[in-house]
Amino acid sequence: MAISIKTAEEIEKMRVAGRLAAEVLEMIAPHVVPGVTTGELDRLCHEHITQKQQAVSACLGYHGFPKSVCISVNEVVCHGIPSDDRVLKDGDIVNVDVTVIKDEYHGDTSKMFIVGKPTIQGERLCRVTQESLYIALRLVKPGIRLRELGRAIQKYVEAQDFSVVREYCGHGIGKGFHEEPQVLHYDADDSGVTLQAGMTFTVEPMVNAGDYRIRTMKDGWTVKTKDRSLSAQYEHTIVVTENGCEILTLREDDTIPAVLENA
């Protein structure tokens, strides 16, 4: 398994790309309201990325994906295709997943938005999912096994009576959108990967309110929970530092420091 260790110059470029990706989520927040379509949200994100940031959406055209961001609502686990037919309503939970390319390097991040007045279950699912991500990030430091992250996420999520999706994972990132290693969000074989300073990857747990099993729709992209329960996801791009990690896609609304020291 060839895992690239980034140079200081590469990490600086990834800081820029990560900051831009986070900025897209900050920009779109006021627009995620009852009555808006996911198609309109996609257009706003595309315009911001291409015109204001002078950057590129990594999603647009990736293996044929037709839009600039993925927008997944309620029972959609991931890869939801924005549409002018999908109108958001009170209580919906919505994931917006953004990947920006700037100067050849990628920044990849996603977060949940609650539309209007939250439901009790929707709010709790989003909170638990975000905390599961934070729990994993607090563990990151050189010398620990990669599988420790997935083990901690799974333990926390299942203790809340939710489940972790198995089929999708985090990934190495840099010049490539998806690099090694695969970052599983449950306790599973990690091929012996030990974290080293300079590794860059995403952690992006997908958590279902019901069963962890999923199904893919006929469009070949949209993934839903098999039992139609709600699903939530949060994602950050990080770099492993000498004694912890730095979150490259930190947003203003995050409640965790950009630099975590876990020595």
Side-chain angles (χ1 to χ4, degrees):
M1 183 183 294
I3 301 173
S4 70
I5 302 298
K6 305 300 191 294
T7 65
E9 291 77 16
E10 288 179 304
I11 292 168
E12 183 54 38
K13 287 185 177 182
M14 292 191 66
R15 282 192 187 100
V16 173
R19 178 65 221 138
L20 294 179
E23 184 185 274
V24 176
L25 293 178
E26 293 168 350
M27 177 279 300
I28 205 64
H31 302 279
V32 186
V33 294
V36 74
T37 67
T38 57
E40 175 62 15
L41 296 178
D42 175 75
R43 284 189 289 274
L44 289 169
C45 290
H46 178 77
E47 182 179 304
H48 189 84
I49 293 167
T50 58
Q51 296 183 25
K52 182 169 183 180
Q53 297 181 339
Q54 298 294 301
V56 175
S57 163
C59 295
L60 185 60
Y62 182 75
H63 294 302
F65 190 79
K67 299 293 182 176
S68 289
V69 295
C70 298
I71 302 182
S72 303
V73 184
N74 294 336
E75 77 278 9
V76 178
V77 176
C78 61
H79 303 158
I81 301 174
S83 167
D84 289 334
D85 295 328
R86 187 61 164 98
V87 180
L88 298 184
K89 65 182 188 303
D90 221 32
D92 283 343
I93 63 171
V94 184
N95 178 271
V96 180
D97 191 343
V98 178
T99 308
V100 169
I101 306 171
K102 185 72 171 182
D103 294 332
E104 298 185 295
Y105 283 82
H106 292 70
D108 188 3
T109 187
S110 81
K111 68 163 286 189
M112 299 302 297
F113 297 89
I114 298 176
V115 183
K117 184 179 179 181
T119 65
I120 292 173
Q121 185 184 57
E123 188 279 331
R124 181 169 173 265
L125 178 66
C126 291
R127 177 168 43 81
V128 167
T129 305
Q130 185 175 43
E131 185 56 31
S132 77
L133 169 60
Y134 288 174
I135 285 170
L137 297 183
R138 292 186 192 107
L139 292 176
V140 174
K141 64 179 179 179
I144 76 156
R145 284 282 294 273
L146 181 61
R147 73 182 300 168
E148 293 296 327
L149 307 186
R151 179 181 292 151
I153 290 170
Q154 182 180 15
K155 181 180 179 181
Y156 177 72
V157 166
E158 292 181 354
Q160 308 299 318
D161 293 323
F162 294 145
S163 64
V164 179
V165 172
R166 306 293 202 266
E167 287 85 350
Y168 294 92
C169 60
H171 51 88
I173 189 169
K175 272 193 173 181
F177 192 167
H178 296 96
E179 301 179 352
E180 295 292 347
Q182 291 190 332
V183 182
L184 302 181
H185 303 117
Y186 60 102
D187 189 17
D189 180 32
D190 59 6
S191 300
V193 174
T194 299
L195 299 187
Q196 300 176 51
M199 284 184 176
T200 52
F201 55 84
T202 71
V203 184
E204 47 184 295
M206 302 176 191
V207 177
N208 296 346
D211 190 84
Y212 68 83
R213 287 174 291 188
I214 60 174
R215 56 199 175 104
T216 303
M217 301 298 101
K218 290 180 180 179
D219 61 25
W221 285 104
T222 307
V223 177
K224 294 185 178 182
T225 54
K226 195 168 185 179
D227 61 6
R228 300 186 180 181
S229 63
L230 294 177
S231 187
Q233 180 189 25
Y234 282 82
E235 174 183 16
H236 274 312
T237 297
I238 69 167
V239 57
V240 182
T241 61
E242 292 298 332
N243 59 356
C245 72
E246 178 183 348
I247 304 171
L248 302 177
T249 48
L250 198 79
R251 300 179 309 277
E252 291 178 354
D253 64 278
D254 268 303
T255 57
I256 192 169
V259 177
L260 298 171
E261 295 186 354
N262 301 320

